[in-house]
Amino acid sequence: MKDTYVFPAVFHEADDGISIAFPDLPGCLPCADDMEEAFKNAKEALQLHLYGMEEDGEDIPAPSRTADVPCAAGESLAMIEAWMPPFRERMANKATNKTVTIPRWLDTLAKKQHVNYSHLLQQALKRYLGVQENPMQHAEA
């Protein structure tokens, strides 16, 4: 797993906005209304796409050379950088919804005591697993 990836992106400007394609990453197809938003969306889409590939254990291809990427009329080429460590950390700490089932009487008592289920579950899981913080952050460092 690398910290930084740089991939070529083809920006196609049309009357209804800008579409972006990463020739080396099929399915990574952000779009935008203007060029400033296009660069922001391209970076975010690239990070998310690469993160998904990493999580799925897929091989990340080598990026094409800019000279090998064709551009048609109305298109331009840019290299987009994905700095992954802060993105991975943000994704690791992103909230995940879980559905739990408890007896109604227990739910009633907990509501009367204003129990924060999310906080309680997090604390209980940390205690049960013997961790205080995300051990995955230290494994990536």
Side-chain angles (χ1 to χ4, degrees):
M1 215 173 347
K2 292 172 47 175
D3 284 346
T4 303
Y5 297 96
V6 181
F7 278 90
V10 177
F11 292 72
H12 178 81
E13 295 184 64
D15 292 338
D16 61 345
I18 302 167
S19 59
I20 306 143
F22 288 88
D24 302 307
L25 303 168
C28 188
L29 301 164
C31 59
D33 292 324
D34 58 47
M35 198 52 83
E36 182 178 341
E37 182 184 41
F39 275 96
K40 179 179 122 344
N41 291 356
K43 180 179 178 177
E44 185 175 297
L46 178 60
Q47 289 172 322
L48 187 58
H49 194 88
L50 293 170
Y51 178 80
M53 291 178 75
E54 288 175 350
E55 288 291 296
D56 293 342
E58 296 179 33
D59 291 332
I60 295 175
S64 295
R65 294 177 338 119
T66 54
D68 297 335
V69 179
C71 285
E75 293 181 337
S76 55
L77 181 67
M79 297 301 286
I80 305 297
E81 180 181 39
W83 172 241
M84 298 303 291
F87 187 81
R88 289 180 192 122
E89 183 175 342
R90 189 170 86 223
M91 294 301 287
N93 290 308
K94 189 174 183 172
T96 302
N97 289 325
K98 294 292 175 195
T99 302
V100 298
T101 304
I102 60 172
R104 181 179 299 263
W105 66 266
L106 190 55
D107 183 46
T108 301
L109 286 174
K111 283 180 183 176
K112 286 181 182 176
Q113 295 295 318
H114 305 287
V115 171
N116 179 325
Y117 287 104
S118 294
H119 179 75
L120 181 63
L121 179 59
Q122 286 179 46
Q123 294 304 326
L125 283 170
K126 286 177 184 177
R127 189 170 38 254
Y128 182 82
L129 297 171
V131 297
Q132 291 300 313
E133 57 188 57
N134 182 354
M136 304 300 277
Q137 291 173 328
H138 301 295
E140 293 172 0

